[in-house]
Amino acid sequence: NAGVTQTPKFQVLKTGQSMTLQCAQDMNHNSMYWYRQDPGMGLRLIYYSASEGTTDKGEVPNGYNVSRLNKREFSLRLESAAPSQTSVYFCASIRLSTGGTEAFFGQGTRLTVV
Amino acid sequence: GQQVMQIPQYQHVQEGEDFTTYCNSSTTLSNIQWYKQRPGGHPVFLIQLVKSGEVKKQKRLTFQFGEAKKNSSLHITATQTTDVGTYFCAGRYSGGGADGLTFGKGTHLIIQP
């Protein structure tokens, strides 16, 4: 059981370049999230998808787009990378039920924009 | 939107000392979870608390959920170097965007041997 698979693990971009971060989960969860983590800032929500076919903005959506391709996959796209987007990005798949809540995180993508 | 305040942001302790991190919400939570992130790693689920006044233990870790379901704490007894990392709480609210799930900013635990 792979859980949440996130690719790539590391990436260096030049300012203005574009890229897509991929995320896939095999737990049949409806909810998937994208976070960025910067020193001292905790986990900041970029976008989320409560179900297949829906996406919504989180706390810091500017400069990003997302696609919920199907129930398994939720991708994050940087159309024109900026140095301020240097960060660690985490995808999470959320189990939500009347019994409770649990977030499963991918390994993270360490992105540097130069 | 809903906010979960977590303190302290950083905590330095000597190995063997105790450690506590606190989370507070201005509104009632449906449940609260705790996660641990090792340096260079990703957050990993530790536990969930659902009931008012609930207390759960995992070896040297004790988790509490307040009577009003607005605050929670994680206490580690006699810290070890393996406890190093960042501890996050995540509160779930009824309704609201993002499935009502809000993470605290985390507490970085630094242990000096």
Side-chain angles (χ1 to χ4, degrees):
Chain A
N1 189 341
V4 179
T5 303
Q6 193 177 332
T7 57
K9 287 188 170 57
F10 299 93
Q11 184 72 50
V12 178
L13 291 178
K14 294 182 178 179
T15 298
Q17 285 186 317
S18 62
M19 78 162 294
T20 300
L21 282 65
Q22 306 286 353
C23 178
Q25 53 95 4
D26 61 3
M27 295 171 283
N28 202 38
H29 294 158
N30 286 316
S31 295
M32 297 182 73
Y33 292 14
W34 276 105
Y35 292 95
R36 60 176 290 173
Q37 186 174 38
D38 303 290
M41 302 294 287
L43 295 164
R44 291 189 292 171
L45 183 64
I46 305 171
Y47 269 93
Y48 67 99
S49 172
S51 62
E52 184 180 353
T54 68
T55 60
D56 286 285
K57 294 178 180 179
E59 180 185 356
V60 288
N62 291 344
Y64 305 96
N65 284 300
V66 289
S67 295
R68 183 72 182 268
L69 305 170
N70 47 56
K71 195 171 186 178
R72 289 188 66 247
E73 298 171 288
F74 187 37
S75 62
L76 178 72
R77 183 161 178 83
L78 286 70
E79 290 290 352
S80 178
S84 61
Q85 293 178 305
T86 293
S87 187
V88 180
Y89 291 85
F90 288 103
C91 174
S93 179
I94 316 294
R95 177 183 66 82
L96 295 170
S97 66
T98 52
T101 309
E102 184 174 349
F104 297 82
F105 286 83
Q107 299 288 322
T109 297
R110 283 147 182 82
L111 174 67
T112 302
V113 183
V114 297
Chain B
Q2 308 289 5
Q3 279 193 317
V4 174
M5 305 302 295
Q6 188 172 357
I7 57 169
Q9 186 175 359
Y10 294 90
Q11 184 73 59
H12 292 78
V13 301
Q14 296 282 342
E15 187 176 9
E17 291 182 338
D18 292 355
F19 159 78
T20 305
T21 174
Y22 302 89
C23 282
N24 290 285
S25 168
S26 58
T27 55
T28 303
L29 298 165
S30 296
N31 63 58
I32 194 160
Q33 313 107 55
W34 286 92
Y35 296 80
K36 178 183 179 180
Q37 182 180 23
R38 295 181 186 275
H42 60 281
V44 174
F45 176 84
L46 292 176
I47 208 161
Q48 175 185 252
L49 304 169
V50 179
K51 299 176 183 176
S52 170
E54 190 169 15
V55 177
K56 288 187 176 180
K57 293 191 176 185
Q58 289 180 349
K59 298 183 180 178
R60 292 177 296 104
L61 279 61
T62 301
F63 305 84
Q64 294 188 328
F65 201 10
E67 293 291 340
K69 299 183 71 173
K70 290 184 178 180
N71 56 74
S72 182
S73 65
L74 159 59
H75 179 82
I76 302 178
T77 304
T79 55
Q80 301 175 358
T81 55
T82 53
D83 295 325
V84 164
T86 303
Y87 293 84
F88 293 95
C89 62
R92 187 176 176 198
Y93 298 88
S94 299
D99 300 308
L101 185 63
T102 302
F103 277 83
K105 295 294 185 189
T107 296
H108 300 264
L109 174 59
I110 299 117
I111 298 176
Q112 294 151 340

